């Protein structure tokens, strides 16, 4: 069946050839991609961390991963991560990546930068949304001054933070209470994880992130790690 | 169909056969990524590249490929270029890559590209196919840039991130414009305007 | 995941995050094959079939071939190759076994190949790290959602076609897009019902 | 007695009080009559007289043109002065025989011939002795057609094919159209004839069950007929709800028997029923007992522009202008002149039309309002869908038609529409729904003929 | 007609198709009744929100009439400014807005309602979506903050930006959404009468009910949609209340709060955008009720009535395909003549 | 990475491609459907107006019929000569071209010339009026109703309603599809060769006497046009003049001769043609006179 054979040959060659070509391109772009990813992580970390001289990406704890210091890609994506910042070997602070499952548009991945000592006072240095689907211009106001300013240097208490509507202290953005809640609760959770895992290099035994202890109201506000997909 | 000059071949995609506004192809990226002007430009550039390259390659291969496996073959060629764009963009333009999101791989299925491969490149010379690709790509880019511009301006109060109409306007920007309904509505009104002009 | 969670996933894919109205996937066939309810029904059936099948096959290929070989970067090209072949196969089969359906779907069957919704479902299932069942349910929900709005929209357009007073400038595509816009505005009402 | 009715329908203002109480006046003989050859459904009659010929009252001037057809008799004695095309009040033009009364006998008449000549009558029949066959032939020869408006030749209805046995005779005394009161008066003033006619019809059909349906706005007629049939177990007089179109035969059958006549081409016969109008029954009695052919009928002349609204006994063929004169003329120029009821009647171009067998009334109505002249857009309120007695979706059919989609309208069964007018009546936008359906039916008819 | 002379010489008759009688209802009369039926609720809104409410009513009505006039003039779609449909839309748009809505938003709403949702489709009778609701949802999505700023009832004067914050409160449904049902100060009688925050037409269930009954009595609307709509909301919220717990609100609470009465009697019943058949209207009402309840109970928005009606508007063409079976077609067929 | 990586990638995708192609190859065998490819080609050659003028359901229906030899290749009026040529090329047959036809309005009885008998209250549609009362609303039973069924019917936007309620055909746009002819309930629209620039704008069946009563533009059977035509292109048939299109040169002399203005120019006559015609007319007059003069002595006629 020469005609049919020709189909097979042509398609095989085109597919094989294309893939080969792509392999070349992939090879050539692998380095830049890796570099840019890493740079972006570091950039994000730099923006929220106090001064450091270590490589925070190398000192991280993936809370709840099978092997917290060598997690799989997907674990690193889904689970909370604590990055430590040191200067001269001394802990100056840390950045915690948490995933809040109940943003307006779905889960929000928040990177919270903290300053201080896991054992003592912990202050907020800044925060970023790494992945989110909050409404531009509404939910994203949570990253802008009037709202964000109240957290500058804010000393995070041990009890969970709440927005005023929920009976707490945090001023919410008008029309975007949900996102405001995300920020407040993520900061709280980040500080909790930082206190728990900071400085140890290994996760606290028996505290897999799926059932975090010390939650005041688990049904209402637990930024459960891995609680959502994104 | 009479022979077209090179310039006409290039120009038809911009207005008379504008792939988006006239032929209504490639709607998904046009609507999805046009929340900002910059996205429109970026997507446009990617499409110009893929469209031109795939038109050229398919035109070169047009005598080799039997028509029964034509579609899979074309699409593999297209997909290769798209993956290239994806990889290169991720490596060198990471920010743009992030905001265009899943729509970069989806350029593969952007109907414009396969439509041009089918309707034009598989029947015409390499040179003409290249011109067609560029023209169509530019036409598409123009259309989605306008779309992106309008939506960014009304929906966010900015153009390329700058509050061109002042902060007061920006504060009252209509969110809906950068949400899905805004895409449909803007494109619909844009097309109505085109139709009204043609009707004259 | 339990049954309720699967149902929620279906609801989410159909209503909250509808492919056409919220995700902008598959707009071309949505606008192209929605002039008659009958052909919309045919197209919806075809898309549901192809989409679920394609998602399953690509999901398996991804897990069984690309990941072990570290060839994830080939996912787009591989997926689309599979989809294109699948669609063409289905097209030939329909043409053989149901010429009337073929007549009705006519040129739109090949459009499924270039229907971003099908590739989108495959890619999103990977991106969202679904397991096999989730991927299956997700693609089914997405396809159902696509079919649903396609049929709804077709009924709307049959009615639009009977309108004689639509101003000239808006006839045809503009009015269809504006209708889709209002429809997607209405679909925003579902936002927040289920979060996935 | 439970008030019987059907699904759908409307309640237009009745306007019957101006004539309901007035007994029928017999009009003087007209000097000239115009007899269109199409006064019934089916094949037109064929003229058997020549111009110049003298005819006696009751003489056949045109014979039936086929089985579904009816002969036409001279309503007055006189000379045939023309056989030419003439406008018919049904809105068309057709051949007509014109007879003019003459003062003196013709010059070539035999000596001593009196003028006018004796009216021609058929020999009386005894309905109890004569065979059903003979009775039926008498109905045919008397030129009797349905006087309820449809003018279907009555003898045809009285001969159901053997495969469709008829077990019920329904007598239609509903008179649901506003303004009209002629059937009402006939029931009151010619009760004996109506009762006798019903018995004759029953004998011809050989049925054991007769149902007389009368809307309950005519309690006197219900009482009168109930009394007349008291003791006759086969006949039952039933009060029906006042609702238009209670008199439409399918609706009346549904109301009285609960049976549903299948959609066209379904006929009452398909459910074992024959429907006849009360005036038809009276005409049958006259033809059988007295041998008088159908040469006159009762006509309601009414409407706001007429000086003295009346029920008139009129010879067929009398010009409309004569009727107006008999009713004291017009008080104001009418906007519309309608033959029949206001819901289904036909608008007239002018008054130069004759009374025909199917003329139940002539109404002189005001001009249509601005809103009616320039209908608004359909609001999709669905009122028309709710009330269509046939369960059609008038608005949707009309959209298809306005968009030029005849097939769509056909799929929605536009052909079933009986043009009762309820939908257009109820429409707040005053759309010309019925007219669209007429156009559609005509176009579908043309298309079918083309295909043959 | 040009031949009609004023000298009275023209004795030509009018010739038209039957029927020659018409029901007295006309488009303007139907619209007049809707306006009339809305008046009690308008009065209540003026009572509770004073000048702010008057301002919103005036701008919305004037805006809608102006846009209507412009559209009739430029797009030449059928209808007339005097048919009253734009007036109804304007009033209903106002009823759907918070009392503090800025003037420019009301104007944008008028353009969306009359131009985008109505005349683009071909004017009166052709629109697929309820114009006033399309505008409301558009504004809600475009400017969520302004559209969810609620004045406390009883503030009678005009409000300026500086003092606004001190005069706002939450709507009962908003509180429900945030799980603060217990904080609702209003008694159920207040809810019914309208002593609560909300859009102009969300406040007084009683006044709206009165208007709705007028429309029903006058047969401007039929009972199917309001009955099934309200019934379904009560049934679903009732079931959830019984099985899911009191934090979801009682069915009575759902019945008298938010825009349910307005929606069920005045907006879902818009004949242009709702089904034309009896069965269709039942389906429509149940659908509206179901969607309203689902969005209120689980959705991101506190109020679901507008979305529910718009969504069911979209389903209406599909519902209308189910035309009734004509008389005599359900029974075994008569022999078809070929 | 390198060659191995390239080989793995190429091999993998190649294999998938091979499988896909094999499946398709097998399927194309198993599911073969034979359809004449020319049907598609012919469909493409048609204008795609789907006007139904050819008598088949849509262009593709006609294409199938043409390929099957069941229909003549020149039935598509909108496609014109071009389509015929293309179809001929596809099917490999030679076809001779027809004269182009064009729709013509054969009535001059607008609102002014031919007033209505009554006020019409109903659907603004010619068919509707004629169903309501036979003969329609105009004084003349054959007059144009002016409600534009023809305008609606034309898919090519070639007819517009003139100010006097008479349709005007755009001869450039008209494709002679005949839809207007079918649609007109009064028989006003007819197709005539496009070379005929002058037409009889009246088709009444009324006798001249009655025409005068109801219409000022109708033909009164005065025969002036027949007399004036120098080419003998006109003859009376019944009450009306009829053209012999093969003779008419469209000089327009008959237009001048027609008092009610029934003779109408669809395209302004060419002045040169007119000059010629006048000359011819003079010539004929002279001949006539000469013949008359020669009638009595009757010498050998000089033939010319
Ligand atoms: C804020 C942020 C935190 C991240 N944290 C981690 C992490 O803890 N572990 C990880 O493997 N990848 C993490 N990533 C993903 C990296 O961008 C990237 O995948 C990884 O560093 C590069 O791969 P490598 O493991 O070969 O260095 C993070 C990304 C961001 C933006
Ligand atoms: C289109 C749209 C987008 C919204 N996006 C967000 C958002 O991103 N974040 C948020 O917190 N609320 C968002 N909301 C508002 C929420 O639905 C909700 O009304 C609000 O968070 C309630 O908080 P409030 O009490 O501050 O008004 C959005 C509303 C709409 C209509
Ligand atoms: C809408 C409609 C209304 C009718 N109303 C009456 C009526 O009121 N009285 C009547 O006798 N016939 C009425 N008819 C005619 C009947 O359907 C039927 O033809 C008639 O009663 C048969 O009797 P006949 O043949 O003796 O006239 C109506 C028909 C239609 C379509
Ligand atoms: C009972 C009834 C309800 C109506 N409801 C609305 C409505 O909710 N919104 C609106 O814009 N117009 C409404 N109208 C007015 C009118 O129908 C509306 O403008 C049309 O939808 C425009 O085509 C209503 C009219 C009636 C008779
Ligand atoms: S006229 Fe026809 S469609 Fe209208 S109500 Fe009567 S039967 Fe129904
Ligand atoms: S009654 Fe009139 S306005 Fe209402 S749906 Fe029927 S046609 Fe339309
Ligand atoms: S004018 Fe008549 S023949 Fe000419 S294109 Fe139009 S409909 Fe066809
Ligand atoms: S030509 Fe015929 S169809 Fe056209 S307007 Fe005149 S009557 Fe109507
Ligand atoms: S671009 Fe998505 S379907 Fe065409």
């Amino acid at each position: 069946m020469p005609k049919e054979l020709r189909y097979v040959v042509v398609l095989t060659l085109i597919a094989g050839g294309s893939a080969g070509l792509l392999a070349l391109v992939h090879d050539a772009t692998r380095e830049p991609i890796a570099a840019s990813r890493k740079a972006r992580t570091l950039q994000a970390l730099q923006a929220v961390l106090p001064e450091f001289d270590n490589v925070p990406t190398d000192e991280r704890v993936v809370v709840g991963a099978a092997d917290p210091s060598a997690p799989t890609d997907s674990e690193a994506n889904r689970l909370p991560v604590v990055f430590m910042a040191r200067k001269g070997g001394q802990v100056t602070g840390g950045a915690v990546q948490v995933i809040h499952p109940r943003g307006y548009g779905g889960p929000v991945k928040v990177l919270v930068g903290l300053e201080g000592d896991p054992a003592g006072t912990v202050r907020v240095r800044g925060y970023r949304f790494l992945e989110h689907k909050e409404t531009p211009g509404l939910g994203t106001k949570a990253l802008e001054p009037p709202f964000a300013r109240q957290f500058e240097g804010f000393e995070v208490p041990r009890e969970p933070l709440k927005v005023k509507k929920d009976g707490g202290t945090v001023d919410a953005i008008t029309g975007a209470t949900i996102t405001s809640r995300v920020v407040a609760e993520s900061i709280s959770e980040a500080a909790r994880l930082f206190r728990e895992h900071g400085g140890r290099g290994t996760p606290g035994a028996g505290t897999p992130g799926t059932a975090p202890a010390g939650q005041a109201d688990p049904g209402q506000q637990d930024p459960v790690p891995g609680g959502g997909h994104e | 169909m009479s022979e077209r000059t090179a310039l006409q071949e290039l120009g038809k995609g911009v207005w008379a056969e504008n792939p988006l506004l006239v032929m209504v192809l490639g709607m998904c990226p046009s609507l999805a990524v046009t929340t900002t002007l910059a996205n429109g430009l970026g997507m446009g550039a990617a499409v110009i590249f893929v469209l031109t390259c795939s038109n050229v390659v398919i035109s070169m291969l047009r005598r080799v490929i039997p028509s029964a496996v034509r579609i899979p073959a074309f699409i593999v060629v297209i997909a290769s270029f798209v993956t290239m764009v994806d990889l290169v963009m991720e490596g060198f333009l990471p920010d743009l890559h992030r905001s265009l999101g899943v729509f970069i791989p989806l350029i593969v299925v952007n109907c414009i590209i396969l439509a041009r491969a089918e309707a034009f490149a598989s029947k015409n010379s390499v040179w003409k196919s290249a011109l067609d690709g560029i023209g169509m790509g530019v036409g598409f880019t123009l259309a989605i840039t306008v779309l992106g511009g309008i939506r960014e301006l009304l929906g966010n109060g900015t153009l390329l991130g700058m509050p061109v109409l002042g902060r007061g306007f920006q504060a009252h920007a209509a969110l809906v414009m950068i949400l899905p309904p805004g895409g449909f509505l803007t494109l619909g009104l844009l097309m109505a305007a085109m139709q009204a002009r043609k009707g004259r | 995941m339990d049954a309720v969670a699967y149902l929620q996933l279906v609801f989410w894919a159909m209503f909250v995050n509808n492919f056409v109205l919220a995700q902008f996937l598959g707009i071309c066939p949505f606008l192209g094959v929605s002039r008659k309810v009958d052909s919309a029904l045919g197209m919806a059936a075809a898309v549901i079939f192809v989409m679920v099948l394609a998602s399953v096959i690509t999901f398996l290929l991804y897990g069984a071939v690309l990941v072990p070989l570290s060839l994830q970067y080939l996912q787009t090209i591989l997926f689309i190759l599979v989809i294109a072949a699948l669609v063409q196969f289905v097209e030939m089969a329909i043409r053989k076994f149901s010429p009337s359906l073929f007549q009705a779907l006519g040129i739109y069957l090949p459009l499924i190949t270039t229907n971003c919704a099908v590739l989108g479902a495959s890619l999103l299932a990977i991106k969202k790290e679904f397991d096999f069942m989730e991927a299956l349910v997700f693609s089914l929900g997405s396809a159902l959602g696509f079919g649903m709005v396609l049929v709804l929209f077709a009924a709307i357009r049959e009615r639009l076609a009977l309108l004689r007073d639509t101003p000239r400038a808006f006839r045809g595509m503009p009015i269809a897009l504006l209708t889709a816009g209002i429809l997607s505005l209405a679909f925003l009402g579902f936002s927040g019902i289920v979060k996935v | 007695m439970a008030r019987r009715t059907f699904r759908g329908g409307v309640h237009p203002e009745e306007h019957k009080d101006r004539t309901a109480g007035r007994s029928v006046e017999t009009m003087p003989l007209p000097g000239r009559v115009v007899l269109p050859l199409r006064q019934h459904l089916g094949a037109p009659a064929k003229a058997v007289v020549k111009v110049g010929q003298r005819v006696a009252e009751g003489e056949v001037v045109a014979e039936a043109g086929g089985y579904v057809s009816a002969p036409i008799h001279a309503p007055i004695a006189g000379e045939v002065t023309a056989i030419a095309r003439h406008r018919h009040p049904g809105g068309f033009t057709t051949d007509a025989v014109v007879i003019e009364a003459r003062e003196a006998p013709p010059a070539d008449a035999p000596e001593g011939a009196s003028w006018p000549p004796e009216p021609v009558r058929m020999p009386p029949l005894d309905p109890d002795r004569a065979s059903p066959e003979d009775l039926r032939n008498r109905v045919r020869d008397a030129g009797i057609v349905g006087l309820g408006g449809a003018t279907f030749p009555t003898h045809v209805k009285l001969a159901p094919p053997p495969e469709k046995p008829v077990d019920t005779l329904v007598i239609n005394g509903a008179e649901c159209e506003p303004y009209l009161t002629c059937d009402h008066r006939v029931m009151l003033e010619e009760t004996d004839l109506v009762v006798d006619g019903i018995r004759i019809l029953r004998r011809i059909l050989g049925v054991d069950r007769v149902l007389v349906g009368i809307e309950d706005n005519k309690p006197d007629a219900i009482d009168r007929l109930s009394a007349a049939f008291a003791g006759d177990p086969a006949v039952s007089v039933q009060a029906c709800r006042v609702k238009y179109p209670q008199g439409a035969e399918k609706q009346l059958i549904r109301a009285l028997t609960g049976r549903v006549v299948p959609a066209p081409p379904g006929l009452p016969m398909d459910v074992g029923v024959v429907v006849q109008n009360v005036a038809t029954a009276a005409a049958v009695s006259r033809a059988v007992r007295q041998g008088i052919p159908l040469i006159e009928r009762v006509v309601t002349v009414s409407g706001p522009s007429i000086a003295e609204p009346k029920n008139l006994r009129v010879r067929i063929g009398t010009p409309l202008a004569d009727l107006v004169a008999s009713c004291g003329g017009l008080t104001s120029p009418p906007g519309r002149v309608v033959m029949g009821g206001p819901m289904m009647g036909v608008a007239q171009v002018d008054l130069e039309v004759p009374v025909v067998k199917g003329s139940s009334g002539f109404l002189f109505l005001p001009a249509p309002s601005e809103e009616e002249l320039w209908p608004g857009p359909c609001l999709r309120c669905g009122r028309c869908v709710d009330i269509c007695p046939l369960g059609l979706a008038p608005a949707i059919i009309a959209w298809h038609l306005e968009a030029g989609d005849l097939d769509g309208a056909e799929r929605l069964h536009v052909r079933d529409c009986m043009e009762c007018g309820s939908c257009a009546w109820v429409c707040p936008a005053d759309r010309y729904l019925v007219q669209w359906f007429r156009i559609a039916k005509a176009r579908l008819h043309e298309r079918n003929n083309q295909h043959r | 007609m040009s031949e009609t002379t004023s000298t009275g010489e023209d004795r030509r008759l009018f010739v038209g198709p039957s029927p020659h009688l018409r029901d007295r209802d006309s488009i303007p009369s139907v619209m007049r009744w809707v306006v009339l039926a809305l008046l009690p609720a308008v009065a209540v809104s003026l009572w509770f929100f004073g000048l702010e409410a008057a301002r919103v009513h005036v701008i919305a009505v004037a805006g809608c009439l102006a846009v209507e006039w412009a559209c009739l003039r430029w797009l030449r779609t059928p209808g007339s400014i005097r048919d009253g449909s734009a007036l109804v839309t304007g009033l209903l748009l106002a009823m759907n807005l918070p009392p503090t809505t800025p003037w420019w938003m009301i104007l944008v709403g008028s353009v969306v309602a009359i131009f985008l949702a109505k005349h683009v489709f071909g004017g009166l009778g052709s629109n697929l979506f309820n114009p006033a609701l399309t505008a409301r949802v558009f504004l809600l999505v475009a400017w969520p903050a302004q559209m969810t700023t609620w004045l406390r009832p009883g503030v009678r004067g005009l409000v300026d930006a500086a003092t606004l914050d001190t005069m706002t409160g939450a709507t009962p449904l908003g509180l429900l959404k945030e799980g603060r049902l217990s904080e609702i100060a209003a008694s159920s009688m207040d809810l019914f009468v309208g002593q609560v925050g909300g859009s102009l037409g969300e406040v007084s269930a009683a006044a709206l009910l009165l208007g709705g009954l007028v429309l029903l009595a006058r047969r401007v609307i039929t009972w199917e949609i309001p009955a099934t709509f309200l019934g379904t909301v009560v049934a679903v919220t009732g079931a959830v209340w019984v099985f899911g717990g009191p934090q979801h609100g009682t069915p009575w609470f759902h019945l008298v709060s938010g825009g349910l009465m307005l929606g069920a009697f005045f907006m879902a019943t818009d004949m242009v955008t709702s089904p034309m058949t009896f069965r269709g209207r039942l389906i429509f009402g149940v659908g509206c009720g179901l969607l309203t309840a689902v969005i209120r109970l689980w959705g991101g928005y506190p109020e679901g009535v507008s979305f529910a009606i718009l969504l069911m508007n979209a389903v209406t063409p599909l519902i209308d395909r189910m035309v009734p079976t004509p008389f005599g077609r359900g029974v075994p067929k008569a022999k078809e003549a070929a | 990475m390198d060659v191995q990586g390239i080989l793995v990638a190429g091999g993998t995708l190649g294999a998938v491609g091979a499988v896909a192609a094999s499946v398709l190859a097998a399927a194309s065998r198993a599911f073969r459907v034979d359809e004449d490819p020319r049907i598609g080609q012919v469909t493409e050659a048609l204008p795609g107006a789907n006007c139904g003028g050819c008598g088949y359901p849509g262009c593709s229906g006609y294409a199938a019929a043409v390929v099957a030899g069941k229909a003549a290749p020149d039935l598509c009026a909108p496609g014109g000569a071009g389509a015929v040529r293309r179809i001929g090329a596809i099917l490999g047959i030679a076809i001779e071209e027809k004269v182009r036809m064009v729709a013509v309005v054969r009535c001059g009885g607008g609102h002014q010339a031919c007033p209505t008998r009554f006020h019409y209250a109903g659907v603004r549609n010619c068919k509707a009026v004629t169903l309501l009362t036979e003969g329609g609303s105009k004084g003349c039973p054959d007059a144009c109703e002016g409600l534009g069924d023809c305008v609606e019917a034309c898919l090519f936007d070639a007819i517009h309603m003139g100010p006097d309620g008479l349709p005007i055909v755009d001869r450039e746009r008209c494709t002679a599809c005949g839809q207007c002819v079918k649609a007109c309930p009064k028989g006003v629209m007819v197709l005539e060769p496009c070379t005929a620039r002058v037409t009889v704008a009246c088709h009444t069946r009324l006798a001249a006497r009655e025409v005068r009563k109801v219409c000022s533009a109708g033909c009164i059977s005065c025969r002036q046009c027949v007399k004036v035509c120098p080419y003998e292109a006109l003859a009376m048939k019944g009450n009306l003049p009829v053209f012999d299109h093969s003779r008419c040169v469209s000089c327009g002399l008959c237009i001048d001769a027609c008092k009610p203005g029934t003779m109408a120019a669809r395209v302004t006559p060419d002045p040169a043609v007119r000059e010629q015609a006048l000359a011819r007319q003079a010539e004929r007059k002279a001949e006539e006179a000469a013949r008359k003069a020669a009638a009595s002595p009757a010498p050998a006629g000089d033939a010319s």
Side-chain angles (χ1 to χ4, degrees), chain D residues 38 85 87 90-94 346-349 368 372-375 402 432 435-436 438-440 442-443 446 450, chain F residues 55 117-136 149 152 182-185 205:
Chain D
R38 262 170 63 191
R85 295 192 73 76
R87 222 174 27 252
F92 49 90
T93 312
T94 178
V346 183
Q348 303 300 312
V349 173
E372 203 178 324
L373 273 178
W374 303 104
E402 286 185 59
Y432 292 113
Q435 200 179 20
W436 279 113
R438 286 213 197 112
I439 302 172
R443 291 244 185 248
E446 278 164 22
Q450 247 173 34
Chain F
R117 299 185 288 158
F118 54 80
H119 298 296
Y120 174 57
V123 174
R124 313 253 109 212
N125 175 299
C126 311
K127 180 79 183 169
V129 186
T130 51
L131 281 174
L132 201 60
T133 35
E134 200 173 288
D149 285 14
E152 282 282 303
K182 262 194 231 160
C184 177
R205 71 190 104 150

Side-chain angles (χ1 to χ4, degrees), chain B residues 26-29 109-111, chain C residues 26-29 114-116:
Chain B
M27 300 294 281
C28 307
V109 278
N110 183 324
C111 318
Chain C
I27 308 281
C28 304
T114 54
N115 180 343
C116 354

Side-chain angles (χ1 to χ4, degrees), chain B residues 54-72:
Chain B
S54 61
N55 256 9
V56 166
V57 172
I58 286 165
S59 172
M60 286 193 306
L61 294 177
R62 69 184 191 275
R63 297 189 206 288
V64 185
I65 301 174
S67 91
V69 293
R70 178 178 88 242
I71 306 260

Side-chain angles (χ1 to χ4, degrees), chain E residues 111-124:
Chain E
V111 173
V112 171
I114 301 290
F115 171 71
L116 198 62
K118 182 174 172 187
H119 284 279
V120 154
F121 289 87
L124 181 62

Side-chain angles (χ1 to χ4, degrees), chain B:
Chain B
M1 229 184 274
S2 56
E3 284 295 301
R4 286 203 183 87
T5 66
L7 201 65
Q8 282 170 330
E9 207 65 80
L10 200 63
K12 67 174 193 258
V14 176
W15 184 256
E17 290 180 29
N18 186 297
L20 180 61
L21 297 177
V22 178
M23 288 156 60
V24 198
L25 290 171
M27 300 294 281
C28 307
S30 319
L31 292 168
V33 304
T34 51
T35 50
T36 65
L37 183 56
N39 278 0
L41 283 169
M43 176 53 94
V47 167
I48 294 178
F49 171 77
V50 175
L51 191 50
T52 312
C53 295
S54 61
N55 256 9
V56 166
V57 172
I58 286 165
S59 172
M60 286 193 306
L61 294 177
R62 69 184 191 275
R63 297 189 206 288
V64 185
I65 301 174
S67 91
V69 293
R70 178 178 88 242
I71 306 260
F74 290 174
I75 209 132
V76 164
V77 172
I78 295 169
S80 311
F81 286 111
V82 171
T83 311
M84 275 179 215
V85 171
D86 196 19
L87 292 171
V88 170
M89 203 183 265
E90 184 169 8
F92 302 102
L93 295 167
D95 289 332
L96 186 60
H97 184 261
R98 267 165 69 83
S99 63
L100 295 182
V102 75
F103 285 92
I104 290 284
L106 287 180
I107 296 178
V108 176
V109 278
N110 183 324
C111 318
I112 296 174
I113 298 179
L114 194 68
R116 291 329 286 172
E118 267 273 81
F120 200 88
S122 65
K123 295 176 188 151
N124 286 287
S125 69
V126 174
W127 167 236
K128 273 191 170 181
S129 303
L131 288 178
D132 177 76
I134 296 174
M136 287 287 162
V138 170
F140 178 74
T141 308
L142 281 180
I144 62 172
T145 323
V146 170
L147 202 56
I150 296 177
R151 289 180 68 188
E152 185 181 344
L153 188 65
L154 297 181
N156 209 26
T158 58
L159 270 185
L160 288 174
M162 289 170 294
V164 287
L165 292 183
R167 298 247 167 232
F169 182 82
Q170 193 185 1
H172 290 145
L175 204 56
V176 65
M177 297 307 291
I178 45 181
L179 292 176
F184 284 115
L185 296 177
T186 314
L187 187 55
L189 290 175
L190 217 56
M191 278 189 184
M194 291 252 322
Q195 245 174 358
R197 293 212 60 177
K198 281 215 179 119
R200 294 273 157 77

Side-chain angles (χ1 to χ4, degrees), chain C residues 2-13 137 194:
Chain C
D2 54 8
V4 173
Y6 285 129
L7 278 181
Q8 286 188 338
L9 184 55
V10 169
F11 186 89
W12 179 78
V137 169
V194 187

